[in-house]
Amino acid sequence: MREEDLITIIALHDNQNITKAAESLYMSQPTLTKQLRRIENELGVQLVVRSNRGISFTPQGEYCAERARAIVGELADMRRELLAMGGDNADQ
């Protein structure tokens, strides 16, 4: 799973609406829907239930959104720490 997929899950969870999540991610609704289907297929679980009033997360989806938020936070922390180390030490 890519970081982009994690960010998509977080946006869907925050917005509880596919169209609003797509707007927040600067993509079209059909593109986001395809990405969501691909993520669900990759994980082998349904993350959201669609209705006329938006989406709601399944228990698996809630867990996935929680973990996605934690993982994206850890990646951001790692990037900050690497930048703080500074320098280009690729030769060492």
Side-chain angles (χ1 to χ4, degrees), residues 51-72:
S51 71
N52 292 339
R53 295 174 23 170
I55 59 172
S56 58
F57 275 69
T58 63
Q60 295 90 342
E62 288 290 343
Y63 173 77
C64 190
E66 178 184 317
R67 295 293 298 139
R69 203 173 301 278
I71 293 167
V72 168

Side-chain angles (χ1 to χ4, degrees), residues 6-56:
L6 301 172
I7 292 168
T8 297
I9 293 166
I10 293 167
L12 284 164
H13 193 259
D14 289 348
N15 289 285
Q16 297 291 309
N17 181 290
I18 291 177
T19 302
K20 289 179 183 177
E23 289 172 4
S24 76
L25 294 167
Y26 303 102
M27 66 173 64
S28 69
Q29 181 271 330
T31 300
L32 179 57
T33 298
K34 287 178 189 172
Q35 188 172 359
L36 175 59
R37 282 192 201 123
R38 184 185 51 73
I39 293 167
E40 289 177 327
N41 286 337
E42 181 180 331
L43 296 174
V45 296
Q46 183 177 5
L47 300 177
V48 300
V49 176
R50 296 149 185 88
S51 71
N52 292 339
R53 295 174 23 170
I55 59 172
S56 58

